Amino acid sequence: MCGIVGYVGPDSNQRALDVIVEGLSRLEYRGYDSAGVALVADGEIAWRKKAGKLANLRSDIEAHPMPPSTTGIGHTRWATHGGPTDQNAHPHLGGEDDKVALIHNGIVENFHVLKTELLAEGVTFRSETDTEVAAQLLARAYGETGDLTEAMRVVCNRLEGAFTLLAVHADLPGTVVAARRNSPLVIGLGDGENFLGSDVAAFIGHTKSAMEVDQDQIVTITKDSVDVVGFDGTPAEGKRFEVTWDAAQAEKGGHSSFMVKEILEQPAAINDTLLGRTNEAGELVLDEMRIDPARLAAIDEIVIVACGTAFYSGLTAKYAIEHWTRIPCAVELAHEFRYCDPVVDERTLVVSISQSGETMDTLMAVKHARELGALTISICNTHGATIPRESDAALYTHAGPEIAVASTKAFTAQIAACYVLGLYLAQLRGGSQAEAAQQVMRELHEVPAKVDTLLGSMDRVREIARFMADTRSVLFLGRHVGYPIALEGALKLKEIAYIHAEGFAAGELKHGPIALIEPGQPVFIVVPSPSTPHNLHDKVVSNIQEIRARGARTLVIAEEGDESVVPFADEVIRVPATSPLLAPLLTIVPLQVFAAELAAAKGLDVDQPRNLAKSVTVE
Ligand code: AGP
């Protein structure tokens, strides 16, 4: 949940503070309860830390300048143990002489036992965090070993839980030591300087050359070396990769928020996710997955595991996957999956969906599925993240960096990736759906242009949102693929506009939720295309009439040319026509725009909503 930066640069260029604060500004989306930095300077640790957003830390540093330095660490926090106060902010210092500074992402689960032990030995603590225990243990281990890497190894072998740790020692200018277990860490390789970060955004302004760090490994960086060892002391090699996006993509680029920018980037995100998935004959090719096609063809069940918006993308894709493959597809919340004694085996394909690739609940679900013998595929937007690396194969979405906490372009890219996977499975299984797969792929390629057109017609949606800034409750209805879109529309509004919002399957209305309808209650209805089988469209139109008769204010999302909704709609929001299974890539757009505009109209921070963090790396 937290953002972590480490840096070592050349003696000629004592700019550690600037590099670290810049990195933190790019990682702030990961957590923004407090922020802090520690520098090694003149045989001491210089540190500043402040509750609140990074701006508070910047002001503090301006008021109390820090010394020039080549070496340092920085942290932006999402509080777990101990509230978001100055004291609980990272870094935490260790040792009687405060010569060790340490930052942490994750949770040290056995911190209580360790703290009791340290307290008994006379150590005093200045915070309520689990992290300070690791700082004190590290100072002690350094005292015994005289080697920061070895000391980190000793400490890691005592910690339980999930952690990325970064540490510096006052006597070691030019060295940062890091460790990871079940929490993200990546190395940035510069020319005469090296970096550490929770993700590549930490150093993208300086280098695109990066290296993955495996589970249970310790990394020691200097300005011109990177050494990796396992927690057992075995030397290891990191895997290099090039970052495929640049710093400009992680900037707002003149937009009012990252969320607004990312909504507008959806045509490119979907398009790039579809690119290169077919050969000249129009057949789907997913060579990058490196899974034996025979094994894939033999699966008899699909289980999608994910959380939040990624879960809704899975729920959306389920309809298409089952239709195209005729394989049963269950969609499970990742945090429930492990605990429901799931029935999966080697013929089950478990597909995890995660933008960050670091969501702890999803990671644990994948690990559990592998233990049970399932084949695992990760749909992920972040190269080198933990979940794809812990899976049998990865299918990357190419949405580019998603910075706003509220997921938008990752959502549509995830749906597109699920469609590609579903069509590929259909092709492997042969039969009539295999032939249809090529036609669907052609249609999918037309969707980005339609999303683009749709984005150009959102003025009225923005107006409605501004008009509704004081609204206290909004309901969302949908059916078939419109149902998960209703759920996702409600989630967007909850998380960034702090408005009570609920999504329902329209058919469920009469089984209870219709009691919520009173005069003036705004209700968005995602209407299926009139071409949806089983007269579903007409059934939803009836649902609109039922709630309108009870006074609801109906905001209807309907396909171009669908005139049957007009008499029952207070507002009609048009989306371009497409085949019913692909429609979610369009119908979600007005709901994203609505939430972003309404949150902005309320004067809220659209990108960094309260209590949330982009990447949920604790269970
Ligand atoms: C979406 O707007 C949320 N911020 C959240 O639900 C998110 O989708 C969820 O936490 C999963 O994240 P992931 O895709 O990185 O795994």
Side-chain angles (χ1 to χ4, degrees), residues 307-310 353-357 359 405-407 414 491-492 495 616:
C307 302
T309 289
I353 307 177
S354 173
Q355 188 285 131
S356 61
T359 299
V405 165
S407 184
Q414 284 159 354
L491 175 62
K492 288 286 87 81
E495 68 179 331
V616 185

Side-chain angles (χ1 to χ4, degrees), residues 221-493:
I221 62 163
T222 66
K223 66 181 168 51
D224 38 32
S225 68
V226 171
D227 291 301
V228 185
V229 290
F231 284 5
D232 61 0
T234 315
E237 288 284 326
K239 189 172 150 210
R240 282 174 176 252
F241 66 96
E242 285 296 304
V243 184
T244 52
W245 49 275
D246 57 32
Q249 283 175 272
E251 310 277 350
K252 277 190 212 163
H255 295 285
S256 55
S257 64
F258 278 109
M259 185 178 176
V260 166
K261 174 178 175 254
E262 289 158 9
I263 289 171
L264 295 172
E265 285 172 344
Q266 290 182 105
I270 300 167
N271 189 55
D272 293 352
T273 299
L274 297 175
L275 273 185
R277 308 293 194 192
T278 39
N279 65 16
E280 282 172 5
E283 294 158 345
L284 280 120
V285 274
L286 294 183
D287 295 346
E288 69 179 72
M289 288 208 305
R290 290 190 288 275
I291 286 193
D292 176 10
R295 177 146 191 225
L296 260 185
I299 59 155
D300 59 13
E301 186 199 12
I302 299 169
V303 180
I304 296 178
V305 290
C307 302
T309 289
F311 172 72
Y312 295 143
S313 76
L315 220 47
T316 307
K318 165 193 165 77
Y319 295 83
I321 291 174
E322 287 190 335
H323 179 72
W324 294 329
T325 64
R326 310 312 297 157
I327 304 170
C329 176
V331 189
E332 304 282 354
L333 287 164
H335 36 86
E336 289 294 317
F337 176 76
R338 258 203 306 166
Y339 307 105
C340 66
D341 197 7
V343 184
V344 303
D345 57 26
E346 65 286 350
R347 288 169 71 92
T348 311
L349 173 64
V350 171
V351 180
S352 64
I353 307 177
S354 173
Q355 188 285 131
S356 61
E358 300 292 350
T359 299
M360 181 61 77
D361 292 316
T362 310
L363 172 63
M364 290 305 168
V366 170
K367 286 188 170 186
H368 189 58
R370 286 193 86 174
E371 279 161 20
L372 296 173
L375 182 61
T376 55
I377 294 181
S378 152
I379 291 182
C380 183
N381 195 42
T382 312
H383 186 103
T386 309
I387 296 173
R389 290 169 56 209
E390 295 283 328
S391 303
D392 294 304
L395 181 57
Y396 284 101
T397 49
H398 297 290
E402 190 179 66
I403 310 289
V405 165
S407 184
T408 54
K409 64 175 178 173
F411 176 69
T412 41
Q414 284 159 354
I415 295 173
C418 286
Y419 287 171
V420 167
L421 180 61
L423 293 169
Y424 181 68
L425 292 173
Q427 181 180 282
L428 280 181
R429 290 167 79 84
S432 62
Q433 291 300 334
E435 284 160 32
Q438 294 190 21
Q439 169 55 25
V440 179
M441 258 327 259
R442 277 194 290 278
E443 236 187 291
L444 253 180
H445 278 291
E446 290 165 14
V447 169
K450 292 181 183 178
V451 176
D452 204 34
T453 308
L454 178 60
L455 284 165
S457 66
M458 287 291 100
D459 285 354
R460 181 62 189 148
V461 172
R462 289 191 198 94
E463 245 171 57
I464 299 170
R466 289 195 291 274
F467 175 75
M468 286 174 62
D470 294 330
T471 304
R472 295 171 63 87
S473 158
V474 183
L475 303 181
F476 295 76
L477 298 181
R479 229 175 146 147
H480 189 242
V481 289
Y483 166 45
I485 295 304
L487 297 174
E488 170 63 4
L491 175 62
K492 288 286 87 81
L493 203 58

Side-chain angles (χ1 to χ4, degrees), residues 64-124:
H64 310 97
M66 297 187 75
S69 170
T70 61
T71 308
I73 54 180
H75 188 267
T76 174
R77 178 172 186 244
W78 187 86
T80 57
H81 294 57
T85 61
D86 286 357
Q87 286 81 6
N88 291 333
H90 301 207
H92 291 281
L93 302 184
E96 282 166 16
D97 46 9
D98 284 346
K99 284 202 160 191
V100 163
L102 179 136
I103 57 178
H104 168 218
N105 175 25
I107 291 181
V108 177
E109 284 172 0
N110 59 337
F111 93 98
H112 193 66
V113 176
L114 298 169
K115 189 167 179 174
T116 308
E117 179 187 312
L118 288 165
L119 283 169
E121 289 172 19
V123 174
T124 51

